[in-house]
């Protein structure tokens, strides 16, 4: 069972995907964390993230490793735990530019497909282009949306400055969120976009628990349809 959950920042992709995967015994992959980790590596290793050619030349250098346990998702770059640093404002401000470079997308997409193929019991993969580009044959595609105001309110305070202090300026958070959404959806290579066959869920007025319940139901229905569609071995004998 392959589940793709896409959508802009702050719609609840990570929270929902982790909870759904844990509840249904599936693996989980945070593809945003992968792009954040390679961005952090670039920043830490002196790559000019304003220079697309420099980013492209470094795209294959770091080893990016993701853990797929929804209860304890891990992410490292060259063996260093990246789970903290990738949530800073510095990485958040640079990740769209790095993730827009085709060589970076090709490398990370290949990694994502390999992880999904190796997840024998099924996996929930969340990001921006999973249903459209990375796993177009996913058994279920969900596209989460929410108003910019709701997303900024949810995100505000979660972001940290490089000094580790919470960023609580709502207006600045909403402006940064909107700018990132625009960058992610206007780039040439696999932009943020709802797949034609994705189920759209507007989470603006829903609690996180309601979104999780909604997606669990969608997964269970997709699994039932898949079971019905698969040829029964006995009948084939
Ligand atoms: N429906 C909801 N109602 C209220 N809060 C929510 C809802 N969904 C998520 N949240 C909260 O909003 C914050 C952002 O959620 P989350 O990180 O899952 O979003 P996201 O879409 O994965 O964002 P990003 O793409 O930037 O990682 C979290 O603190 C989460 O608990
Ligand atoms: N499949 C993906 C996932 C993420 N990105 C880029 C675009 C986002 O702004 C950034 C961080 O993602 P987040 O942690 O906010 O989910 O990574 C992408 O291009 N493709």
């Amino acid at each position: 069972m392959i589940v793709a959950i896409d959508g802009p920042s702050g719609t609840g992709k990570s929270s929902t995907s982790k909870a759904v995967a844990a509840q249904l015994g599936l693996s989980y992959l945070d593809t945003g964390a992968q792009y954040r980790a390679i961005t952090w590596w670039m920043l830490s290793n002196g790559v000019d993230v304003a220079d697309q050619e420099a980013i492209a030349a470094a795209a294959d250098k770091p080893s990016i490793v993701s853990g797929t346990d929804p209860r304890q998702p891990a992410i490292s770059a060259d063996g260093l735990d990246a789970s903290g640093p990738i949530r800073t404002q510095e990485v958040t401000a640079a990740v769209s530019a790095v993730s827009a470079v085709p060589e970076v997308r090709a490398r990370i997409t290949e990694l994502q497909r390999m992880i999904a193929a190796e997840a024998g019991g099924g996996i929930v993969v969340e990001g921006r282009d999973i249903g459209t580009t990375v796993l177009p044959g996913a058994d279920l595609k969900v596209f989460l949306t929410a108003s910019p105001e709701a997303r900024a309110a949810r995100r505000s305070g979660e972001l940290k400055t490089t000094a580790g202090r919470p960023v609580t300026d709502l207006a600045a958070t909403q402006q940064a969120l909107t700018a990132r959404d625009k960058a992610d959806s206007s780039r040439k290579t696999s932009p943020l976009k709802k797949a034609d066959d994705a189920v759209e869920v507007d989470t603006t007025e829903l609690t996180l628990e309601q979104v999780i319940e909604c997606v669990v139901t969608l997964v269970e229905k997709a699994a039932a349809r898949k079971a019905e569609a698969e040829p029964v071995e006995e009948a084939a004998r």
Side-chain angles (χ1 to χ4, degrees):
M1 192 73 201
I2 303 280
V3 180
I5 300 185
D6 292 303
S9 186
T11 49
K13 295 184 304 301
S14 299
S15 309
T16 301
S17 301
K18 278 186 277 198
V20 169
Q23 188 170 325
L24 299 177
L26 302 172
S27 298
Y28 161 72
L29 179 62
D30 179 350
T31 62
Q34 294 175 311
Y35 284 104
R36 287 172 177 273
I38 196 168
T39 300
W40 174 59
W41 184 91
M42 300 247 181
L43 291 167
S44 309
N45 287 274
V47 176
D48 177 2
V49 293
D51 179 348
Q52 289 213 357
E53 286 178 9
I55 294 169
D60 286 333
K61 287 186 180 168
S63 160
I64 305 293
V65 177
S66 299
T68 58
D69 178 350
R71 292 182 175 80
Q72 207 169 11
I75 183 79
S76 68
D78 277 0
L80 297 174
D81 177 9
S83 53
I86 64 171
R87 300 294 167 195
T88 62
Q89 246 188 333
E90 186 190 22
V91 169
T92 299
V95 64
S96 283
V98 172
S99 61
V101 175
E103 289 81 357
V104 169
R105 299 209 71 81
R107 190 250 166 125
I108 300 291
T109 295
E110 187 183 353
L111 191 57
Q112 291 161 357
R113 287 174 178 156
M114 191 178 68
I115 292 168
E118 288 171 356
I123 190 168
V124 179
V125 183
E126 57 115 334
R128 300 296 190 284
D129 63 338
I130 310 307
T132 53
T133 308
V134 180
L135 300 167
D139 298 295
L140 171 69
K141 299 176 185 179
V142 177
F143 192 82
L144 297 185
T145 61
S147 68
E149 294 73 19
R151 295 190 288 122
R154 294 170 186 175
R155 177 58 72 218
S156 179
E158 269 197 317
L159 278 181
K160 300 280 188 281
T161 63
T162 313
R165 281 191 292 277
V167 173
T168 54
D169 179 339
L170 201 51
T173 302
Q174 182 163 336
Q175 193 177 11
L177 213 59
T178 309
R180 192 147 64 90
D181 291 344
K182 187 166 180 235
D184 296 342
S185 47
S186 59
R187 67 181 175 226
K188 286 201 182 90
T189 314
S190 64
L192 162 62
K193 182 170 171 282
K194 175 184 166 302
D196 294 341
D197 54 349
V199 177
E200 182 168 340
V201 179
D202 184 341
T203 71
T204 308
E205 304 297 333
L206 299 176
T207 65
L208 176 56
E209 292 65 31
Q210 287 171 322
V211 179
I212 292 164
E213 191 181 330
C214 168
V215 175
V216 164
T217 303
L218 288 171
V219 174
E220 289 172 337
K221 286 180 176 173
R225 283 196 302 273
K226 185 176 181 178
E228 278 170 24
E230 279 166 354
V232 176
E233 282 178 29
E234 289 71 31
R237 285 200 183 112

